[in-house]
Amino acid sequence: MKRDLRTRDLLIEHPVIDLLATCVLVGGHFLVVSRYGHGDFIGWIAASNRHELYGVGAAVIAIIFGFSAAAVAHYAGASGARAKYAKSKFGAALRRQWMGTLVLPGLGAFACLLALALDLAEGGGVTAARWIFETAVVLSLFKFVRAMHLFQAMLDVTDLDAVDQGRVTAPAVGAAWRDRSDQPAA
């Protein structure tokens, strides 16, 4: 259990792991395609459909960018005791994490548009545009998972802060309210 937490913390505390994992996945896929000629699923799509795929990819990544921006706004607005402690103790690391979840999906959306502009090939050969697109999508997915993990952690913190504020006592019900004329008879 403790080892699982340390592994999870290691993954969360080092956002460069997203870049490394993307390089391994996309690089491994590139090696399989270039060596064996199998698995070029984007290359199998007709050029006009690839262009649509790149546009949809840019839109989806832009939506991820929007989710990240909303999560950052939630983080910035958190003001309970736990949130203040987390910001003071881990503020620099949290800012790096949040900036990474904002900047890289934004760049990923632009990379999809670049792939759209560069992919002029009609055949199924390997082109740089398809690999740019695949890299942008994979990296954006890793950043999405990271953003959702960070967002969940901040929601947990703000929920706990909200519970600590306690309940406000209900106002006392006096005889004047109890005996008013609009109340049905018991």
Side-chain angles (χ1 to χ4, degrees):
M1 176 77 169
K2 193 172 183 178
R3 181 178 178 173
D4 292 340
L5 287 175
R6 281 188 297 203
T7 303
R8 190 183 74 172
D9 288 344
L10 174 75
L11 292 172
I12 292 303
E13 291 172 6
H14 299 286
V16 73
I17 292 173
D18 298 346
L19 295 170
L20 295 173
T22 299
C23 288
V24 167
L25 286 175
V26 175
H29 183 223
F30 178 78
L31 289 174
V32 167
V33 169
S34 62
R35 182 168 177 103
Y36 301 109
H38 296 290
D40 187 12
F41 51 89
I42 297 173
W44 298 333
I45 301 171
S48 62
N49 291 338
R50 278 197 312 264
H51 293 162
E52 290 177 20
L53 177 67
Y54 299 152
V56 170
V60 169
I61 291 172
I63 290 169
I64 292 171
F65 179 76
F67 287 148
S68 297
V72 170
H74 179 79
Y75 164 74
S79 61
R82 286 178 182 86
K84 287 178 183 176
Y85 177 79
K87 288 178 183 181
S88 68
K89 180 132 175 104
F90 308 108
L94 286 171
R95 274 189 300 282
R96 280 193 312 273
Q97 293 273 356
W98 287 118
M99 287 305 293
T101 61
L102 282 174
V103 170
L104 287 173
L107 292 174
F110 286 116
C112 289
L113 296 176
L114 176 65
L116 178 63
L118 292 177
D119 190 357
L120 303 175
E122 291 295 327
V126 176
T127 65
R130 295 198 298 267
W131 297 106
I132 291 170
F133 173 76
E134 185 174 332
T135 302
V137 168
V138 170
L139 185 57
S140 294
L141 287 174
F142 280 124
K143 289 301 176 184
F144 175 72
V145 170
R146 182 174 297 280
M148 290 303 102
H149 177 79
L150 291 169
F151 190 45
Q152 180 62 49
M154 285 311 298
L155 286 174
D156 292 345
V157 166
T158 55
D159 286 349
L160 289 171
D161 281 342
V163 169
D164 285 348
Q165 292 176 5
R167 292 182 168 218
V168 176
T169 57
V173 177
W177 183 84
R178 191 177 51 233
D179 297 334
R180 48 180 208 200
S181 63
D182 65 336
Q183 294 295 319

